[in-house]
Amino acid sequence: MSTENIKDIKIDPSKFSFVNEADKLHDKKFEDKPIGYFKDAWIRFRKSKASVVAAIIILAVIAFSIIAPFCIKSHDQSFMVTTYAKNSPRIVVLRNLGFKTGYTSRDFSDRSLMKALAIGVGAEEYKGQDVSFADAMDSEYMPILEIKKITQSVGPDKKPINTYTADIETYLEVGFLYKSIEQQELESILAWEQETGKKILYPLVENNEYNMDPTDGNCWYKSDAKGNPLKEKGDKVTKIKEYDPSLILADNYKRDRDGNPVYYEYTGGGSVDTAQYKIRVLYINYYEYLYGAEPNYVFGTDAQGRDLMLRLAGGIRLSLLIAIVVSVVNFIIGAFYGSTEGYYGGVIDLIMERISDILSNVPFIVVATLFQIHLAKKVGPIPCLLFAYFTTGWIGTAYRVRTQFYRFKNQEYVMAARTLGAKDKRIIWKHIFPNSLGTIITSAALTIPSVINSESMLSYLGIVKLGSAARTSLGTLLSDAAAIWTNYPHLLFFPAVTLSLLMICFNLFGNGLRDAFNPALRGVDE
Amino acid sequence: MRMFKYVLKRIALMFFVLFVITTICFILIRILPRDLPLENSQKEVILARWEALGYNKPLLVQYGIYWKNIITKWDFGTSWYISYRKPAWDLLVSRLTPTVLINVYSLLFSIPLGLALGVYAAIKKNKWQDNVISTLVIVFISVPSYVYAFLVQYLFFFKLGWLPLQLHSLADAGNSYFTWKMFHSMIGPIIAMSFGEIAGLCRFSRAELTETLTSDYMLLARTKGLTRAQATARHAFKNAMVPVLPSIIGSFLAIMSGSMIIEQIFSVPGVGPLYLRSIATLDYDVFMLDCLFYTFIGLVGGIVIDLSYGFIDPRIRMGEK
């Protein structure tokens, strides 16, 4: 009955109208933005504070390695002054503020203490006025900064021995040196002295047959064969054996007939241009004259006399560059290799897997050594090292990619793509590969610290020799320091701290990435 | 039975890989030019020996001779420079004792410490104790081992003067590696090597134990009336150790080859410095044997780790598809 009724109802079509004809209906827009895979990862990465801090530190270290060369204007990475080799950090800014800088603490005997003090006295005393040790302590050229402790002991011959523990500025300890220069340079030095008011030339010293080193000009006072200063009272000559602050040393300067000290001596050469002069220079000022700035080595100098900070910055750059190149190349090789074996499977997989099996079982150190021995002379040590990493480094990445492909290749969406006629290439790169991207990026990020570590190990062991005048690596810096760091700890300290910092931060950063790219952790801790 | 077959298959595969690597290394090493000593009499002797040993024959023939000597006489060639005319095998074996000793000591020291710290951190999960341990672990894992070596030398030799800077020579320590004096000088390298080992073990055992502590059977154990300590000791700990123990075995083999840099710093007369000297002097037979040694260690390590899973936990069946 009811159906008939419905059939009977007739409504005039003109009575129908659209609900709202005026505005079109749309789906409601999401109020928040959609969260994609990478965005999701970024949100999770941001939450892990340690990783963020690590990332910031890494950026800071990289920034240091790039900016450092621009901050030091007076010299560059290959600039080398052997006179100032192995010296501790000397920062001019701090020094001008009155801090002790560029010094080491050392024990002195009476004689060696007086020898060091005499440099400061000599720098002040040249005019002939009497300057005692105590007076010269304020001089800016005084190498002994502070005598901290005096210990007394008894020597084997029952005589008392004083041992002075003092801070000595190694840059000033060099003191006076003899130099042989030409007429022209002499004139320019004199002009420079006029201009700046700083003194380079100091009086020459009377020949002293006991002074063994012909370039050393520090023994300007009257002394005996052992270097003990002498005191002349009338005809009586006595040795000064004990340090006394009020002591005034008798100078031994070369003098002309009028009794004035001689500042330069003609040693040979005919014409005006080739005339050779022997002069005695205060090295720290001579350095400033030569290179245009006071010695300013923020991290000290290395074993050859190069600026350690610039070497370190260069080392960081080289090590990071190698690590990044290796990581990118292995990323690419691993992605191709892994996706090929994972996607095709079967015999191809079996054969490729055996190849990577064999390669992965050759110890890396053997690979690196063989490459170095065979090719280092032909293509250089850095390409050799890179080849060694390229030979075996990608296997881990390839393995991970392969596993991901095995997981995803038989899933419905891949079959759907195949049914729709997608080619292998498209399925591999568009459909399956993005799924493994997270793991690969993580492994690429973790490759960096492991490459830095193994590179530094190989250079430390001397298997890879990356050091040269123009470049160095972190491991090379460490290996240069290895034999002598006990006496010059700063040589080891700065590279070791930098390397450790980089390793810790990259590992933290990599772990953060791994957690961030793990979708299973989505929403945990919220 | 299937287990046995799997083991056999793995070992066969291992020897295949070893064979291939040996071949590659042999060719790469033998085609290198050889240096001769400057002294004439020695030079003649060496040249004559090389002629007799077939070093001037074609490469393939040399390779055949190499294998023949190994199989029939266990002869891996001769050292010409490091230790004149001493068999390479004897040289390697004589260098093995200090390396193994230091590693064993280091493991004896680091296994209990690493496990204890890891277990403690897992029990105190997310409390401050765990945070401190986990932070330290990251630091200790990341910092390269030779930095510890320098720290140890600085602290214990320069500052405190408790330990010698380097290992005593064999003659100094009474012609044996097992004397007290020798052990005393070995403490430095042992400590330096242990930091990373402890940290690694601690991290691993913490991760495993935290996972088992939150599993369902632990809840069951608690519901049936066990205290937390009992449940942890009887159920969680055992299960957590399943992956940890193989990793310990693996790490023993791994640090056999990884301690090269520590041995170099403390001048331990071990396998690592032998390898470096064989490169520096280009003593090829020794170099070749060293390469084989490191490869072999790596291969055996891999197999032992895989197999030990099956032995420790009967639930894991090896070779299953």
Side-chain angles (χ1 to χ4, degrees):
Chain A
M1 200 165 118
S2 60
T3 45
E4 272 173 42
N5 281 348
I6 290 170
K7 272 183 185 170
D8 290 340
I9 298 170
K10 282 195 174 131
I11 304 170
D12 187 9
S14 64
K15 283 184 179 172
F16 285 104
S17 69
F18 288 105
V19 178
N20 36 5
E21 209 170 2
D23 40 34
K24 287 171 185 167
L25 272 182
H26 285 289
D27 283 342
K28 239 188 186 171
K29 270 206 170 159
F30 287 119
E31 277 176 5
D32 47 356
K33 283 175 190 161
I35 294 178
Y37 182 53
F38 283 96
K39 175 121 204 237
D40 183 39
W42 169 235
I43 289 171
R44 243 175 289 130
F45 181 78
R46 247 181 354 198
K47 276 206 183 120
S48 143
K49 286 198 190 75
S51 313
V52 175
V53 172
I56 292 171
I57 295 179
I58 292 171
L59 285 179
V61 172
I62 295 173
F64 159 76
S65 76
I66 294 168
I67 294 170
F70 296 107
C71 294
I72 305 293
K73 292 197 183 68
S74 51
H75 53 264
D76 64 357
Q77 202 191 148
S78 46
F79 172 81
M80 183 167 94
V81 177
T82 36
T83 317
Y84 281 153
K86 300 175 223 159
N87 282 5
S88 28
R90 181 183 201 267
I91 305 158
V92 171
V93 180
L94 285 185
R95 189 183 152 81
N96 291 342
L97 289 173
F99 289 97
K100 287 194 284 186
T101 170
Y103 68 94
T104 54
S105 202
R106 221 184 287 156
D107 286 348
F108 293 89
S109 67
D110 277 300
R111 190 198 308 151
S112 61
L113 182 72
M114 281 192 278
K115 187 169 187 220
L117 284 166
I119 294 169
V121 178
E124 297 295 325
E125 191 259 13
Y126 58 94
K127 281 183 201 130
Q129 72 276 43
D130 290 338
V131 178
S132 72
F133 285 143
D135 296 338
M137 281 308 272
D138 297 333
S139 163
E140 63 169 318
Y141 301 118
M142 171 55 89
I144 299 285
L145 301 174
E146 188 190 359
I147 298 172
K148 292 192 292 196
K149 209 171 73 186
I150 304 170
T151 37
Q152 284 178 327
S153 57
V154 180
D157 49 357
K158 301 255 168 93
K159 281 181 192 160
I161 296 175
N162 294 325
T163 308
Y164 302 87
T165 309
D167 289 339
I168 179 163
E169 188 173 336
T170 41
Y171 293 85
L172 295 174
E173 194 192 1
V174 176
F176 302 98
L177 292 179
Y178 287 115
K179 292 273 165 194
S180 186
I181 55 166
E182 287 182 3
Q183 174 82 37
Q184 224 171 5
E185 200 184 345
L186 182 66
E187 275 159 19
S188 83
I189 288 177
L190 290 170
W192 191 85
E193 280 189 336
Q194 282 282 324
E195 192 186 315
T196 58
K198 289 185 176 174
K199 208 165 161 50
I200 296 176
L201 295 181
Y202 278 80
L204 294 171
V205 178
E206 222 32 270
N207 285 339
N208 183 346
E209 68 257 44
Y210 307 125
N211 195 3
M212 287 302 157
D213 183 358
T215 59
D216 180 10
N218 284 331
C219 198
W220 57 269
Y221 46 89
K222 293 209 165 81
S223 64
D224 69 354
K226 281 182 174 173
N228 289 314
L230 296 176
K231 200 178 203 171
E232 285 174 338
K233 234 181 202 173
D235 288 343
K236 219 176 107 194
V237 178
T238 47
K239 272 191 235 173
I240 303 171
K241 290 218 135 178
E242 218 167 307
Y243 160 70
D244 177 5
S246 62
L247 214 65
I248 294 167
L249 297 174
D251 71 63
N252 193 22
Y253 294 140
K254 230 173 220 175
R255 288 169 203 278
D256 58 13
R257 268 172 230 137
D258 306 329
N260 294 323
V262 178
Y263 283 85
Y264 47 87
E265 192 177 53
Y266 174 74
T267 53
S271 68
V272 176
D273 291 335
T274 56
Q276 294 277 325
Y277 291 95
K278 183 186 180 187
I279 53 168
R280 178 166 164 264
V281 296
L282 182 62
Y283 191 75
I284 193 136
N285 282 348
Y286 187 62
Y287 177 98
E288 198 177 335
Y289 155 76
L290 279 182
Y291 308 116
E294 253 186 277
N296 182 29
Y297 298 103
V298 180
F299 288 176
T301 56
D302 72 358
Q304 279 85 40
R306 300 195 181 99
D307 187 338
L308 189 60
M309 182 172 83
L310 298 184
R311 298 294 278 175
L312 187 63
I316 296 171
R317 283 201 304 272
L318 182 65
S319 290
L320 274 179
L321 195 71
I322 290 177
I324 289 169
V325 168
V326 168
S327 148
V328 168
V329 171
N330 285 346
F331 178 99
I332 294 167
I333 302 178
F336 272 99
Y337 198 92
S339 48
T340 312
E341 54 179 354
Y343 184 74
Y344 292 106
V347 184
I348 295 177
D349 181 33
L350 199 75
I351 295 170
M352 290 176 88
E353 194 57 356
R354 282 293 81 75
I355 294 174
S356 62
D357 229 25
I358 291 171
L359 281 177
S360 71
N361 277 308
V362 189
F364 176 68
I365 196 159
V366 172
V367 180
T369 314
L370 284 174
F371 264 112
Q372 288 297 324
I373 297 179
H374 274 280
L375 287 173
K377 277 184 195 132
K378 280 177 213 152
V379 297
I382 295 179
C384 276
L385 188 65
L386 290 177
F387 290 152
Y389 282 117
F390 298 160
T391 314
T392 58
W394 49 268
I395 293 168
T397 316
Y399 179 76
R400 282 186 201 96
V401 176
R402 175 175 173 266
T403 322
Q404 292 290 323
F405 266 76
Y406 266 98
R407 247 173 78 190
F408 289 106
K409 73 174 177 186
N410 289 326
Q411 291 207 346
E412 286 78 0
Y413 75 93
V414 176
M415 279 185 226
R418 192 170 292 140
T419 326
L420 287 171
K423 296 259 167 53
D424 282 353
K425 203 173 131 192
R426 189 180 164 82
I427 295 175
I428 291 178
W429 299 118
K430 277 272 171 189
H431 293 286
I432 311 181
F433 184 72
N435 280 309
S436 52
L437 210 52
T439 34
I440 310 179
I441 290 176
T442 309
S443 81
L446 285 171
T447 306
I448 294 178
S450 83
V451 168
I452 294 177
N453 188 23
S454 58
E455 178 272 320
S456 64
M457 194 181 89
L458 288 174
S459 354
Y460 182 87
L461 291 172
I463 294 173
V464 179
K465 296 179 181 75
L466 294 180
S468 74
R471 62 180 148 73
T472 187
S473 75
L474 285 173
T476 315
L477 283 173
L478 284 171
S479 107
D480 288 346
I484 50 173
W485 71 273
T486 51
N487 291 325
Y488 313 101
H490 72 278
L491 285 182
L492 188 78
F493 178 78
F494 291 109
V497 166
T498 312
L499 184 65
S500 307
L501 201 64
L502 274 181
M503 295 292 296
I504 293 171
C505 290
F506 267 113
N507 279 332
L508 277 175
F509 177 69
N511 289 347
L513 273 188
R514 190 185 52 206
D515 291 348
F517 279 120
N518 186 355
L521 290 177
R522 184 174 192 167
V524 175
D525 304 330
E526 270 175 25
Chain B
M1 192 56 211
R2 198 161 60 190
M3 178 87 182
F4 183 66
K5 250 170 110 180
Y6 177 72
V7 175
L8 272 188
K9 205 175 128 195
R10 281 300 300 267
I11 292 176
L13 200 64
M14 178 190 100
F15 276 106
F16 170 69
V17 172
L18 190 65
F19 177 76
V20 174
I21 295 176
T22 313
T23 313
I24 298 170
C25 284
F26 183 87
I27 292 168
L28 285 178
I29 292 173
R30 277 288 161 97
I31 57 173
L32 285 168
R34 280 167 180 267
D35 284 338
L36 281 168
L38 292 170
E39 197 197 328
N40 265 336
S41 59
Q42 206 180 16
K43 196 166 156 185
E44 274 164 27
V45 175
I46 287 183
L47 278 176
R49 288 295 303 155
W50 284 358
E51 182 65 43
L53 288 170
Y55 281 21
N56 302 330
K57 295 204 169 87
L59 211 56
L60 266 179
V61 181
Q62 285 186 41
Y63 188 53
I65 295 174
Y66 187 72
W67 274 112
K68 198 188 94 197
N69 282 342
I70 291 176
I71 293 165
T72 54
K73 293 183 276 185
W74 199 250
D75 174 13
F76 285 88
T78 316
S79 162
W80 301 106
Y81 305 114
I82 295 174
S83 182
Y84 181 54
R85 288 184 70 179
K86 192 174 176 182
W89 175 257
D90 293 358
L91 198 61
L92 183 76
V93 169
S94 71
R95 296 297 197 102
L96 217 52
T97 327
T99 301
V100 173
L101 256 190
I102 287 182
N103 282 310
V104 168
Y105 287 146
S106 153
L107 279 182
L108 287 181
F109 176 62
S110 50
I111 289 173
L113 215 58
L115 280 184
L117 284 175
V119 170
Y120 185 68
I123 293 171
K124 298 276 177 191
K125 195 188 169 192
N126 290 338
K127 296 202 177 112
W128 68 268
Q129 294 98 326
D130 176 39
N131 290 336
V132 170
I133 292 177
S134 300
T135 316
L136 286 180
V137 159
I138 292 243
V139 172
F140 281 123
I141 278 189
S142 311
V143 175
S145 61
Y146 46 91
V147 175
Y148 303 130
F150 293 131
L151 272 180
V152 166
Q153 283 187 336
Y154 183 73
L155 202 67
F156 292 110
F157 176 73
F158 287 103
K159 286 286 149 187
L160 300 171
W162 292 351
L163 299 175
L165 186 62
Q166 291 179 330
L167 211 69
H168 288 309
S169 71
L170 203 52
D172 259 5
N175 281 324
S176 161
Y177 286 110
F178 298 94
T179 56
W180 172 247
K181 195 173 174 192
M182 192 51 122
F183 177 73
H184 179 234
S185 67
M186 277 178 178
I187 294 175
I190 293 169
I191 294 175
M193 223 181 280
S194 298
F195 278 118
E197 203 57 36
I198 292 173
L201 205 56
C202 176
R203 179 165 78 170
F204 198 28
S205 51
R206 180 193 172 274
E208 291 301 327
L209 195 57
T210 44
E211 210 179 304
T212 48
L213 278 177
T214 51
S215 54
D216 292 341
Y217 61 81
M218 277 298 285
L219 200 63
L220 180 70
R222 293 298 302 279
T223 30
K224 80 180 183 194
L226 294 184
T227 62
R228 204 177 128 85
Q230 281 172 325
T232 308
R234 289 188 202 164
H235 296 280
F237 192 68
K238 267 189 196 166
N239 279 299
M241 284 307 109
V242 170
V244 174
L245 285 181
S247 87
I248 292 176
I249 300 168
S251 70
F252 172 70
L253 291 166
I255 55 179
M256 287 271 280
S257 53
S259 58
M260 192 181 275
I261 202 155
I262 300 276
E263 289 183 3
Q264 181 76 358
I265 291 171
F266 288 97
S267 68
V268 178
V271 187
L274 181 71
Y275 179 78
L276 294 176
R277 278 201 63 196
S278 71
I279 300 168
T281 55
L282 291 180
D283 204 340
Y284 295 106
D285 288 348
V286 182
F287 180 39
M288 178 76 205
L289 182 60
D290 253 333
C291 292
L292 278 190
F293 171 74
Y294 283 127
T295 313
F296 186 71
I297 291 272
L299 285 168
V300 172
I303 291 187
V304 169
I305 292 173
D306 272 8
L307 295 186
S308 55
Y309 274 108
F311 284 114
I312 293 164
D313 188 354
R315 288 174 303 179
I316 299 171
R317 288 268 154 267
M318 303 317 301
E320 242 166 1
K321 287 266 154 51

